[in-house]
Amino acid sequence: MSFKLITAIAFVILLVEVAVFFPSLANYRASWLDDRLRIGGVAVRVFDAVPDVMDLPVEITDPLLQSAGALAIVYRRAGQTDLIAIEGATMPAEAHLADMRDRNPVRLIMDATETLLLGGDRILRIVGVPPGAGDVVVEVLMPDGPLRADMLTYSGNILALSLIIAGVTAIVIYVLAESLLIAPIKRLTANVLAFRNNPENGTLIITPDPDRDDEIAVLEQALADTQAELFSMLRQRRHLADLGLAVAKINHDLRNMLTSAQLLSDQVATLDDPKVQRLAPRLVNTLDRAIGFAQSVLDYGRQQAGLPRPQPVGVRALGFESALAAGLAGHPVIRFDNRVGDDIVLELDPDHLGRVLVNLMKNAREALEAVDGKTTGPTVTLDAERSPGRTRLFLADNGPGLPPRARENLFVAFEGSARAGGTGLGLAIARELVTANGGELTLLETTTGATFALDFPTPTCA
């Protein structure tokens, strides 16, 4: 990460330098050409002092032209054109035009790039109006080799300076980032990895830096709080696991003793003593409830629902299968009404949803059977509705409903039972399965009976 950061910083700085380089190179070239035009302007003033330019000796004109690096200087004014050339110089048939009267930035950049890449063996025809020359247009003919050589030197200096600036800036920013960001991130990463390998070691809980008050400090504090909570939770879970194992063993032995007591109670129930005949059914019923409770506790302790394996599930067909497993299909009194359309298909684990529906349907059936014909037309209804991004299933009955005590702890194991002797484990397991598949199980407020809603997210295109 450190190498990537310093490389990225240097690369960005070099990109900025490249963006600045070409305008700077164009300005350098323009200044270089302007200097040659100024020398041409000086030559014009010298020529103006002479009645006949052609009478000037080469001892005067050649040094003047050589100081400008020119082969020849042409100046025009008022329709008159004069030419001064180095003695013996051959005038080229074609020259590359550099019109300094056009100061368009884009053109200057393009010309500078062209000179840098293609120049060196060409003749330049520099045209412009030097300062102080009035309306005189001066043309300087010269080879562009010296210009390209100076531009290469300038480019090399810019490149060296850019590398130095990029390197120094990257190092400075890296040092700051290393102390303010990278080092704390490394510390957080090392702590998370160490704590993951041994979460029960309380000494591995990170200690926030008291001298920081930025986002890193907030992250360190949040991580410390999370690790502390996880540490306490793991200890509590270990204690509960040990306690649960002990309870399971005790419960197993207790169930065996209760089973033996049930066998004895069955034998006692056969005696002719009137008191025994009056008390034996209550004893048998109490033992049956105790055995059922012990068995429920063991089943809940062994409950291990695997990870959901989502696949397309037709809810209507699954509803009929669940009704058959729950004892609703073919019930002599209770009617099962499946109103789910054939087009309702959910992407979830069919075994999980089937277990949830069977559990809810069994509860509804037992509630209707408990009223023993006091409800007119006892019915259990399975329905569904679809809205953007969500599918909601309804399982309702027209029974007596749930008492307030059961509603308060409806989905809490061992506390949410609506009938005497129940453990309340069924709804707790049902909610776990629904939640594991990304859904939500709730009890709706209704005037009669009980209605459970199962909400599952669905793609908007479904």
Side-chain angles (χ1 to χ4, degrees):
M1 181 176 178
S2 303
F3 176 76
K4 292 180 180 178
L5 179 62
I6 195 170
T7 302
I9 294 172
F11 181 72
V12 171
I13 294 175
L14 287 177
L15 285 181
V16 174
E17 292 288 346
V18 168
V20 174
F21 168 73
F22 288 100
S24 175
L25 183 66
N27 289 333
Y28 178 81
R29 175 180 177 274
S31 298
W32 197 93
L33 296 177
D34 287 339
D35 288 341
R36 298 311 179 267
L37 285 177
R38 276 192 289 271
I39 295 176
V42 173
V44 170
R45 288 192 288 271
V46 172
F47 299 156
D48 285 342
V50 179
D52 188 357
V53 174
M54 303 303 298
D55 294 337
L56 285 174
V58 295
E59 291 81 4
I60 296 177
T61 58
D62 285 359
L64 186 61
L65 293 173
Q66 291 171 356
S67 65
L71 299 176
I73 296 177
V74 179
Y75 61 97
R76 299 184 179 92
R77 61 182 172 185
Q80 179 182 353
T81 300
D82 292 305
L83 169 66
I84 300 297
I86 292 180
E87 184 179 14
T90 303
M91 293 297 103
E94 184 179 355
H96 185 74
L97 176 63
D99 192 348
M100 302 310 295
R101 294 170 294 181
D102 182 5
R103 294 284 178 165
N104 183 277
V106 176
R107 190 193 67 81
L108 291 176
I109 292 175
M110 294 177 61
D111 289 347
T113 304
E114 182 187 30
T115 300
L116 186 65
L117 298 178
L118 304 177
D121 298 324
R122 302 180 302 183
I123 299 298
L124 279 179
R125 178 172 162 240
I126 309 169
V127 180
V129 179
D135 58 350
V136 178
V137 177
V138 176
E139 296 182 14
V140 179
L141 275 73
M142 61 174 294
D144 70 348
L147 172 59
R148 184 172 183 272
D150 288 348
M151 290 177 64
L152 288 174
T153 302
Y154 176 80
S155 300
N157 294 336
I158 290 293
L159 176 61
L161 182 61
S162 299
L163 292 176
I164 293 173
I165 292 175
V168 172
T169 305
I171 291 174
V172 171
I173 295 178
Y174 168 75
V175 171
L176 293 176
E178 177 71 25
S179 60
L180 297 177
L181 186 63
I182 297 178
I185 291 178
K186 289 180 178 178
R187 176 172 174 260
L188 288 170
T189 303
N191 178 266
V192 169
L193 294 176
F195 187 80
R196 184 194 67 177
N197 294 330
N198 190 8
E200 295 186 1
N201 186 350
T203 61
L204 296 178
I205 297 176
I206 192 170
T207 302
D209 188 350
D211 297 329
R212 300 185 69 115
D213 58 355
D214 53 6
E215 289 78 3
I216 295 294
V218 175
L219 179 60
E220 289 180 344
Q221 186 61 53
L223 178 60
D225 295 341
T226 302
Q227 290 176 334
E229 292 176 4
L230 183 60
F231 173 76
S232 300
M233 187 183 303
L234 289 175
R235 292 185 63 184
Q236 183 179 14
R237 288 189 61 180
R238 186 176 69 253
H239 294 168
L240 290 176
D242 295 340
L243 181 61
L245 181 61
V247 170
K249 293 179 179 179
I250 295 172
N251 195 47
H252 182 272
D253 295 338
L254 178 62
R255 187 191 61 173
N256 293 335
M257 289 185 288
L258 290 174
T259 302
S260 300
Q262 186 181 36
L263 295 176
L264 293 176
S265 66
D266 292 339
Q267 297 178 5
V268 171
T270 60
L271 298 178
D272 296 333
D273 190 325
K275 290 185 178 181
V276 172
Q277 292 294 326
R278 187 174 66 254
L279 296 176
R282 296 174 60 184
L283 175 62
V284 172
N285 185 45
T286 300
L287 290 173
D288 287 342
R289 288 169 56 189
I291 293 173
F293 184 82
Q295 184 62 46
S296 298
V297 172
L298 289 176
D299 292 342
Y300 182 74
R302 289 194 296 265
Q303 183 71 30
Q304 292 182 350
L307 293 175
R309 297 181 178 179
Q311 61 186 58
V313 178
V315 179
R316 179 175 176 82
L318 184 62
F320 283 122
E321 295 177 7
S322 302
L324 182 63
L328 278 179
H331 195 281
V333 178
I334 303 173
R335 184 173 68 93
F336 175 62
D337 184 10
N338 191 346
R339 301 179 182 177
V340 179
D342 292 328
D343 61 330
I344 302 297
V345 178
L346 296 176
E347 189 77 17
L348 43 71
D349 192 311
D351 293 335
H352 288 185
L353 181 59
R355 289 168 59 186
V356 172
L357 293 178
V358 169
N359 189 290
L360 296 178
M361 290 178 181
K362 286 179 63 177
N363 289 348
R365 175 180 60 79
E366 292 173 355
L368 290 171
E369 290 174 343
V371 297
D372 194 18
K374 295 179 182 179
T375 299
T376 303
T379 304
V380 176
T381 304
L382 179 63
D383 202 352
E385 69 175 20
R386 178 177 292 169
S387 59
R390 187 187 72 168
T391 298
R392 168 172 275 198
L393 306 181
F394 300 94
L395 189 77
D397 66 71
N398 58 351
L402 296 173
R405 182 185 64 83
R407 290 174 178 268
E408 293 175 0
N409 301 292
L410 190 61
F411 300 104
V412 180
F414 303 107
E415 296 185 15
S417 177
R419 57 186 175 85
T423 60
L425 297 177
L427 289 177
I429 295 173
R431 168 169 275 191
E432 288 182 0
L433 294 175
V434 172
T435 303
N437 285 270
E440 183 179 4
L441 175 62
T442 54
L443 175 67
L444 302 182
E445 292 291 338
T446 55
T447 55
T448 59
T451 301
F452 288 90
L454 295 84
D455 291 284
F456 294 99
T458 54
T460 54
C461 60

